[in-house]
Amino acid sequence: MGKKSRLKKERKQEKPEKIAKPGGSQKHILVYLLLLLLVTSLVYWRSLDNDFVNLDDNEHVYENPNITSLNMANIKAMFTGSRMGNWIPLTELSFALDYHFQGMEPYGFHLTNLVLHLLNTLLVFWLLLLLSGNSLLALLSALIFALHPMHVESVAWITERKDVLYAFFYLAALICWVKGRVLKKRGLLYLTMLLYLLALCSKSMAVTLPLVLIIYDVFFEQKQLKKVIADKIPFFILAAGVVYITFKSTYSSTTPYAELNIIERLVTANYAFWFYHLKMLLPFKLSAIYPYPQDINQAIPLYYYLSLLLSGGLVWQLTAIGKSHKTLLFWFWFYLLTILPVLHLLPLAGGAITCDRFTYIPGIGVYMVLLYLINQKFSLTKSKYIIILIIAGYAFLSWQRIGVWKNGVVLHTDIIERYPQIELPYINRGKAYGERGEHGKAIADFSSAIQVKPGSADAYNNRGNEYGDLKQYDKGIADLDKALELRPGFVEAYNNRAHLYMNAGRYAEAEADFNTALKMQPDYASGWYNRGNLYRKTGEYDKAIADYDQAVKLDPGMIDAYNNRGTAYSMSGRHQEAIRDFGLALQGQPDNVSFLNNRGNAWKDLGDSQKALQDFNLAIKINPGYANAYHNRAVVYYSLDRIEAAENDINKVKELGGYVNPAFQKALLEKKENNGISQ
């Protein structure tokens, strides 16, 4: 009898955990939600004053032609192409919507990131309330998610719209799956599939969702593994497609990982696994870049191997736990499965072994394990004030970290302070200084990069460009020669040296370099565009037009190519075709006063004074300090015999410090005297 009773008791203890009903009154839950929104907004409001940073923001946002117009050509390009090796069509589309409504102002992009982070915080609270039935646990976990310093990178960095957007659909999909299972509604399960597709279109890291659904069904729904795998097949099919696209785009044989064998990759992956644990607990000395050890291809550092001891201890603990703590096991597997794609078991492109942003979703598993253990040992009710104090510390560190993302100079300075021995942050800060016109500081940074790594072709390439901007062409060409000596197939360096040759008036050498670049990389749209500029400069307009044709064929979003082809058409007397091209350029940048000025000139040359005046007037309305538009409008007024208006515009040009054509000024004065207009 005693033995039978013990067996019944053991079976009762081993009974799988069910989802508890949400704890806390509706009033309390509403207060928690408002608290989450308020506290998160207070900490992250600072990010709205941040600028773009030249750490991928240029490629994804302010130099991305796909987002400048919501036309079908651009949308098609988003879904059929990749951006820096990532297939992220929905993320790009969200950038295009920001640009459509806010223009190219960083405030609008930052605001969208913040709103998505706020929504994700609420979704985390909802999900954890569903899974735990404990509103205090859900609140504390959601607060950590909202305010943890490692998540600043995902929110304050505009490029990482990928994270906050995919997380929104990922969390919503997981909630739909849980609700669908609990309420027995298949419609919610189908909705999960749709949300999963949207998550995949935002960032490929969403591929892990089917695995998370499997462990949910096993641990919470007590379903057999074979059954739960079978009904995830449609999810795996979607995931397989995205994995293929991502692997094809980002696989690289040139990363430090490429030369490591499988054992060495497992060791480094294990180190990364524990690195994230440590930083989640003690988020100090965070960095936008955690570089590979410099000698990783010669010898893996000893402390990488020592981290294997931690994994051995973890396996022992998990074995000891067995099936008695299913909630704990679920969250451990949640963390492991969601972080797995970024542990670099495959040599994907990238110069960092770990990244803060990779913890945005996986981190939920870490804090849930910790809070679960605290609740088991001490109870959350007794420990909540200590936990809240820790969260307050996280909030302060996040507020500080947001300031690091203020702009490119501040960000890369922070990286240099952490890792002065690597050349990349010097190069990036040099580029940031260059964008600000601070060429001396830019050259100093590129020189520092060369000092750190004498064989850096990228540093010589960038320093050469800066010398070119200062019109020190001989120095610039010498640096580009060195870049090509270090990397003979450096297409960008050939293109840049050709550009300097062109500006120095050495047209034959420029053409030879452009030809070499295009022979090496026939699909190099910038090469065709720049050679077109050379031919336009030398008066070979037919050749220029042919090169611009090739440039826009390869990159339909290259707005400047349409504008410059329009200029070549104008110089050839083909004004209708010029007007068409200027119109195409203006579709992408409707407020570009230079494009409006050029089209106004084409209308003027075609003899349509009224349309010319419309373009010049609009250019002046957009930028009242644009002297060229006043000058060209004066020419039209002169042709219409509106001498006083023409004279007013020329006076405005002089006031603005612009150039006045002496021949036109003389003709205007003579016509004024002939018409008897007094001085």
Side-chain angles (χ1 to χ4, degrees):
M1 184 74 176
K3 184 177 179 182
K4 189 174 180 181
S5 298
R6 282 198 306 272
L7 286 173
K8 284 183 178 180
K9 187 176 180 182
E10 286 170 3
R11 288 193 188 106
K12 186 177 181 181
Q13 287 175 341
E14 292 179 1
K15 188 177 180 181
E17 297 167 358
K18 291 280 188 179
I19 299 174
K21 292 182 180 180
S25 67
Q26 289 186 346
K27 183 178 178 181
H28 283 156
I29 290 172
L30 179 60
V31 170
Y32 287 168
L33 294 176
L34 292 175
L35 178 66
L36 286 168
L37 292 175
L38 177 63
V39 173
T40 308
S41 297
L42 286 173
V43 171
Y44 274 94
W45 207 257
R46 187 182 189 190
S47 69
L48 301 182
D49 292 327
N50 286 1
D51 203 344
F52 295 114
V53 295
N54 65 320
L55 188 65
D56 301 349
D57 278 357
N58 52 330
E59 292 281 352
H60 284 94
V61 187
Y62 60 87
E63 293 176 4
N64 183 356
N66 288 348
I67 74 167
T68 55
S69 181
L70 282 169
N71 56 48
M72 288 308 300
N74 283 353
I75 293 172
K76 180 182 177 182
M78 294 173 195
F79 280 86
T80 57
S82 64
R83 180 64 48 182
M84 297 188 73
N86 296 295
W87 185 70
I88 49 170
L90 209 58
T91 298
E92 277 199 280
L93 185 58
S94 74
F95 288 144
L97 289 168
D98 280 341
Y99 178 82
H100 180 75
F101 291 107
Q102 298 277 349
M104 197 58 77
E105 292 295 328
Y107 175 87
F109 293 91
H110 282 299
L111 180 61
T112 302
N113 275 24
L114 174 54
V115 169
L116 285 168
H117 183 55
L118 290 170
L119 292 173
N120 290 339
T121 300
L122 299 183
L123 290 176
V124 167
F125 177 81
W126 187 7
L127 174 65
L128 300 184
L129 191 60
L130 283 173
L131 293 178
S132 70
N134 186 325
S135 59
L136 179 59
L137 174 64
L139 173 66
L140 294 174
S141 295
L143 280 171
I144 298 173
F145 172 84
L147 303 174
H148 200 284
M150 290 193 79
H151 295 171
V152 167
E153 184 169 294
S154 296
V155 185
W157 185 10
I158 292 172
T159 287
E160 282 313 304
R161 173 72 55 80
K162 303 189 291 279
D163 271 344
V164 289
L165 189 60
Y166 107 82
F168 174 77
F169 294 117
Y170 192 103
L171 293 167
L174 188 49
I175 288 169
C176 277
W177 187 265
V178 172
K179 294 290 286 184
R181 287 298 200 203
V182 172
L183 300 176
K184 310 298 183 186
K185 290 188 176 181
R186 296 191 65 83
L188 287 173
L189 304 182
Y190 294 137
L191 180 58
T192 303
M193 175 75 77
L194 174 61
L195 292 167
Y196 179 51
L197 178 60
L198 295 174
L200 288 171
C201 290
S202 303
K203 188 175 183 178
S204 59
M205 203 166 167
V207 295
T208 60
L209 182 66
L211 301 176
V212 172
L213 298 182
I214 287 172
I215 61 170
Y216 165 78
D217 282 348
V218 169
F219 286 112
F220 286 102
E221 294 294 323
Q222 300 89 51
K223 294 182 178 292
Q224 292 183 349
L225 189 60
K226 284 185 179 180
K227 281 189 175 182
V228 299
I229 290 176
D231 64 15
K232 307 302 183 300
I233 289 175
F235 291 88
F236 285 119
I237 292 171
L238 289 177
V242 173
V243 167
Y244 171 76
I245 294 170
T246 302
F247 188 76
K248 185 178 178 182
S249 300
T250 62
Y251 177 85
S252 176
S253 60
T254 60
T255 67
Y257 262 147
E259 297 179 18
L260 302 183
N261 60 43
I262 186 62
I263 300 299
E264 290 170 327
R265 288 181 194 167
L266 286 170
V267 170
T268 53
N270 180 75
Y271 165 78
F273 175 86
W274 287 107
F275 172 90
Y276 291 125
H277 273 85
L278 178 63
K279 288 294 184 183
M280 289 300 296
L281 287 171
L282 301 170
F284 302 107
K285 294 186 178 180
L286 301 182
S287 177
I289 295 175
Y290 300 101
Y292 293 97
Q294 290 182 315
D295 59 349
I296 193 169
N297 289 330
Q298 284 74 47
I300 300 271
L302 177 62
Y303 59 87
Y304 277 45
Y305 288 101
L306 292 177
S307 67
L308 291 171
L309 298 175
L310 293 173
S311 295
L314 177 64
V315 171
W316 180 79
Q317 283 290 333
L318 291 174
T319 305
I321 288 173
K323 297 180 180 180
S324 60
H325 295 282
K326 290 186 176 292
T327 300
L328 181 65
L329 289 172
F330 170 80
W331 288 114
F332 165 75
W333 281 107
F334 179 94
Y335 167 69
L336 179 60
L337 294 174
T338 53
I339 202 70
L340 190 62
V342 290
L343 292 181
H344 293 294
L345 290 170
L346 297 174
L348 301 180
I353 193 167
T354 52
C355 297
D356 290 356
R357 61 187 178 274
F358 292 160
T359 66
Y360 192 68
I361 286 291
I364 300 170
V366 176
Y367 8 104
M368 281 299 291
V369 167
L370 291 173
L371 291 175
Y372 179 87
L373 291 173
I374 291 170
N375 194 39
Q376 290 289 310
K377 295 286 185 181
F378 310 105
S379 92
L380 284 178
T381 305
K382 294 178 181 178
S383 310
K384 63 183 177 182
Y385 295 112
I386 295 174
I387 296 170
I388 289 170
L389 187 62
I390 293 171
I391 292 172
Y394 286 167
F396 176 72
L397 292 173
S398 290
W399 185 86
Q400 285 187 319
R401 189 79 194 145
I402 290 165
V404 170
W405 290 88
K406 178 67 177 175
N407 55 51
V409 170
V410 177
L411 176 65
H412 299 302
T413 298
D414 181 75
I415 301 170
I416 289 168
E417 289 173 356
R418 300 269 188 271
Y419 303 103
Q421 76 281 11
I422 60 172
E423 86 280 5
L424 181 61
Y426 291 106
I427 291 173
N428 286 336
R429 189 173 68 177
K431 289 179 179 179
Y433 279 132
E435 289 176 1
R436 290 158 59 158
E438 299 180 60
H439 302 297
K441 290 181 178 179
I443 288 170
D445 268 350
F446 296 136
S447 299
S448 295
I450 292 167
Q451 187 176 2
V452 168
K453 185 178 179 182
S456 175
D458 290 315
Y460 279 107
N461 176 56
N462 284 287
R463 192 173 70 175
N465 287 337
E466 289 301 317
Y467 281 131
D469 289 340
L470 292 172
K471 303 190 187 310
Q472 298 178 27
Y473 300 122
D474 289 341
K475 285 186 176 181
I477 290 167
D479 269 356
L480 290 161
D481 288 343
K482 184 66 176 177
L484 288 165
E485 177 189 324
L486 292 165
R487 194 188 301 167
F490 198 172
V491 173
E492 185 183 341
Y494 276 110
N495 179 71
N496 292 338
R497 189 172 68 176
H499 193 71
L500 266 61
Y501 279 139
M502 179 175 69
N503 289 340
R506 298 163 64 175
Y507 299 138
E509 291 161 292
E511 184 178 20
D513 268 358
F514 282 134
N515 291 343
T516 301
L518 291 170
K519 184 177 180 180
M520 288 181 171
Q521 190 175 331
D523 62 349
Y524 186 37
S526 293
W528 292 102
Y529 167 75
N530 287 322
R531 194 177 70 173
N533 289 340
L534 171 66
Y535 288 139
R536 184 167 59 92
K537 194 168 188 176
T538 58
E540 300 173 88
Y541 299 120
D542 289 341
K543 285 185 176 181
I545 290 166
D547 276 0
Y548 293 137
D549 288 344
Q550 191 66 22
V552 297
K553 180 181 178 182
L554 291 167
D555 185 357
M558 188 179 283
I559 294 169
D560 286 335
Y562 291 110
N563 176 67
N564 288 5
R565 187 173 67 180
T567 304
Y569 279 133
S570 282
M571 300 300 290
S572 304
R574 298 161 66 177
H575 302 303
Q576 288 285 9
E577 289 156 295
I579 289 166
R580 180 203 65 198
D581 266 357
F582 294 136
L584 290 171
L586 284 163
Q587 284 181 18
Q589 294 181 12
D591 294 337
N592 190 305
V593 292
S594 179
F595 298 168
L596 285 166
N597 182 65
N598 289 341
R599 191 173 68 177
N601 281 330
W603 285 119
K604 172 173 66 67
D605 293 339
L606 199 61
D608 194 329
S609 299
Q610 293 307 312
K611 287 186 177 178
L613 285 175
Q614 287 175 11
D615 277 347
F616 295 138
N617 289 339
L618 182 55
I620 290 167
K621 182 180 179 182
I622 293 169
N623 182 5
Y626 186 47
N628 286 350
Y630 287 104
H631 193 291
N632 292 326
R633 189 172 69 175
V635 174
V636 176
Y637 284 146
Y638 174 87
S639 69
L640 296 173
D641 228 20
R642 296 172 59 181
I643 306 304
E644 188 174 353
E647 186 177 35
N648 289 338
D649 273 356
I650 291 300
N651 289 336
K652 185 66 175 179
V653 174
K654 293 177 182 177
E655 179 188 322
L656 293 169
Y659 171 77
V660 177
N661 187 317
F664 175 70
Q665 189 170 16
K666 182 180 178 182
L668 179 61
L669 182 61
E670 290 175 354
K671 195 165 191 178
K672 178 180 176 181
E673 290 173 350
N674 291 338
N675 289 352
I677 300 175
S678 60
Q679 291 278 348

